[in-house]
Amino acid sequence: MTDLIEDYKYLLALHLQDISKRYGILYYDVLRGKMPEEVQGIYAEGLSRVFEYMSIRHGVEISDIMAVHETVLETALTEFVAVALHNSVLDNPQALH
């Protein structure tokens, strides 16, 4: 299962990086869905390709990949918030919104 999670993290990170570079959107905003409609479509298409690849490579159902997706996003967002709250440079609580 670890390989599945690590593969997914890697592919998701590449996808987020591509969107960030092409559209100038922060990773965090993409994960929160705070992006233009055009970018939402591209994000969804990319996730669909990632899910398909993961299904073929690891031989798992889409529902299992979706569970991995949710776990990875929860972990990433939790880690982001924990770091942001402990970052002494972050003086503005509105920065997270």
Side-chain angles (χ1 to χ4, degrees), residues 29-49:
D29 288 338
V30 173
L31 294 176
R32 293 185 325 153
K34 302 288 185 180
M35 58 191 141
E37 195 171 310
E38 171 193 355
V39 179
Q40 288 178 2
I42 292 167
Y43 175 68
E45 288 173 19
L47 274 185
S48 176
R49 287 192 304 271

Side-chain angles (χ1 to χ4, degrees), residues 1 5 7 12 20 24 30 34 52 55 57 60-61 73 88:
M1 185 73 151
I5 293 171
D7 279 355
L12 179 63
S20 179
V30 173
K34 302 288 185 180
E52 183 178 331
S55 177
R57 177 175 168 94
V60 294
E61 298 293 322
L73 289 186
S88 61

Side-chain angles (χ1 to χ4, degrees), residues 63-83:
S63 60
D64 294 331
I65 298 167
M66 196 61 203
V68 168
H69 173 79
E70 290 172 6
T71 300
V72 167
L73 289 186
E74 286 174 14
T75 303
L77 292 173
T78 300
E79 289 174 0
F80 172 83
V81 170
V83 168

Side-chain angles (χ1 to χ4, degrees), residues 80-95:
F80 172 83
V81 170
V83 168
L85 291 175
H86 289 94
N87 184 349
S88 61
V89 178
L90 186 63
D91 293 329
N92 181 359
Q94 294 299 318

